Amino acid sequence: MITSSSRNLFLSSVAAIILLPGTTLAADLPWIPESPQPQAPLSSSFSIEVFTGYLTGTIEQSAYNCCGEKFAHTKWKIDNAGIVGATLAYRWDWLDLRLSGWTVGWSGNSSDSFTDAIICDLGCRTRVKWRNDEAKLPAMYQIDASIGIRIYQDASFVLTGLAGYRHLRVGLKDRGGHALPNDVLGDLSDLPLSSAYDQWWHTPYVGIGAQHDGAGYSLMAEVIGSPIVFANDRARMISIEADQSFIYYSNYVSEADYNTWMVGATVGGEVRLTDAFALTGKAQYQYYEAKKDKATVKGACCGMIPASQSGDLSAFTLTVGLKASF
């Protein structure tokens, strides 16, 4: 016969078994698998930045005939030109992808030029100098694509190796310039003069970048360079009396030629307004130089003659922008 005390002891034992912690039972039962631990996802972000700013710089070009005589030399100074642009960036863990570009948005009378050239006048060759303080900058733009690999990172500092490609296009026009007095032709102030000059620069580059992240702000700096610059240019000048033009082209490609190179540097920062938006500011400088022994000169007086040509470009931009991150 089961007494009430025996029944109470039995019920207490059953309750103790039922109330044992589930983890203890699961550990003792090998056929019940443990729950997998969640893994932290790879960090990634996408951002878009729009910016505007100020452009200044100089462009210089010289051409020489087969005798080494400099028959054309033009120097353009770019000033008071405005640019607009945008940057797309994607960051995936240790990899950074970036596509950026800008173009001249407004220029007005944004450059002045000085030209010293041998031109044709009634069959004779004479040297004429003219200048224009209101030359035009109708076309100038840059496209830059790069990839960055983080080689060092801690809580507030990132060091990145860079590789990329930059294309820079420049188009200049000089109309309405006035010639300086000439010993042969005399006063040329009423004669029509015009010239145009175009450059195309194609530059693969490598570099290094650094970034510091603070409380609500970040600072960055990049240095890039390349000993290999693929470039070509085209110049056009109009003679004053016969109104005949000569156009000379050159194409130069680096073949272990250290005269063909490029360097650039960028510094900047941003101030975060919210988690998604930030104000940005950047300063960028770049310098290109290219030379080659061969060029083709086509002219009414000269025919087709061998020549050499050199050109260089330096540009400095200051920009401010708004950046959105997702």
Side-chain angles (χ1 to χ4, degrees):
M1 182 177 186
I2 300 177
T3 63
S4 59
S5 60
S6 299
R7 183 173 60 252
N8 292 337
L9 178 61
F10 174 77
L11 294 176
S12 300
S13 301
V14 172
I17 294 174
I18 295 174
L19 295 177
L20 281 176
T23 54
T24 304
L25 289 175
D28 295 336
L29 300 176
W31 58 85
I32 301 179
E34 294 185 6
S35 301
Q37 297 295 322
Q39 297 188 7
L42 295 174
S43 62
S44 64
S45 64
F46 174 79
S47 66
I48 180 171
E49 175 190 358
V50 291
F51 57 86
T52 184
Y54 170 81
L55 165 68
T56 186
T58 59
I59 300 170
E60 194 163 357
Q61 179 266 347
S62 297
Y64 305 83
N65 61 20
C66 57
C67 301
E69 177 187 25
K70 182 190 291 187
F71 67 85
H73 175 241
T74 302
K75 184 174 183 179
W76 307 73
K77 181 181 179 182
I78 303 171
D79 202 1
N80 299 325
I83 63 172
V84 291
T87 300
L88 301 176
Y90 180 72
R91 175 171 295 172
W92 184 77
D93 200 41
W94 48 267
L95 184 67
D96 295 329
L97 302 176
R98 183 175 60 191
L99 177 64
S100 181
W102 56 259
T103 185
V104 171
W106 62 93
S107 60
N109 299 326
S110 62
S111 66
D112 66 82
S113 68
F114 179 81
T115 300
D116 176 1
I118 296 175
I119 64 173
C120 303
D121 176 56
L122 302 178
C124 67
R125 299 170 70 249
T126 184
R127 184 175 294 276
V128 173
K129 299 179 180 181
W130 73 87
R131 68 175 303 114
N132 188 351
D133 297 330
E134 297 183 351
K136 301 291 184 179
L137 178 63
M140 185 169 181
Y141 62 84
Q142 174 179 292
I143 300 173
D144 189 294
S146 66
I147 181 172
I149 298 177
R150 298 190 177 191
I151 55 181
Y152 174 80
Q153 180 175 359
D154 61 22
S156 62
F157 181 78
V158 177
L159 192 65
T160 305
L162 301 171
Y165 164 81
R166 178 172 294 181
H167 171 61
L168 183 61
R169 163 78 166 91
V170 183
L172 298 157
K173 289 185 178 180
D174 176 358
R175 295 183 182 275
H178 60 276
L180 303 181
N182 182 273
D183 294 337
V184 177
L185 302 176
D187 184 9
L188 305 176
S189 58
D190 295 330
L191 296 174
L193 298 173
S194 65
S195 65
Y197 185 50
D198 298 276
Q199 287 182 336
W200 296 264
W201 302 88
H202 306 268
T203 307
Y205 64 81
V206 294
I208 192 167
Q211 179 175 323
H212 169 72
D213 291 320
Y217 73 94
S218 66
L219 302 174
M220 60 80 65
E222 292 180 356
V223 177
I224 64 173
S226 174
I228 304 174
V229 177
F230 303 90
N232 61 287
D233 67 356
R234 181 181 62 201
R236 180 183 180 92
M237 282 180 273
I238 307 297
S239 65
I240 55 177
E241 281 289 334
D243 195 25
Q244 298 185 20
S245 63
F246 60 93
I247 305 173
Y248 48 97
Y249 298 87
S250 71
N251 291 278
Y252 31 85
V253 177
S254 175
E255 297 174 352
D257 182 356
Y258 294 101
N259 288 324
T260 306
W261 53 277
M262 171 268 192
V263 292
T266 304
V267 295
E270 61 181 61
V271 177
R272 285 184 283 277
L273 303 177
T274 66
D275 291 340
F277 293 95
L279 289 177
T280 64
K282 290 181 182 178
Q284 184 179 90
Y285 174 79
Q286 51 189 324
Y287 177 78
Y288 298 78
E289 181 178 280
K291 294 181 179 180
K292 191 173 174 64
D293 292 334
K294 295 181 180 180
T296 300
V297 179
K298 179 181 179 181
C301 301
C302 308
M304 300 291 292
I305 62 172
S308 62
Q309 185 161 304
S310 67
D312 60 62
L313 178 148
S314 64
F316 177 75
T317 58
L318 282 174
T319 61
V320 293
L322 181 64
K323 177 180 177 181
S325 301
F326 307 93

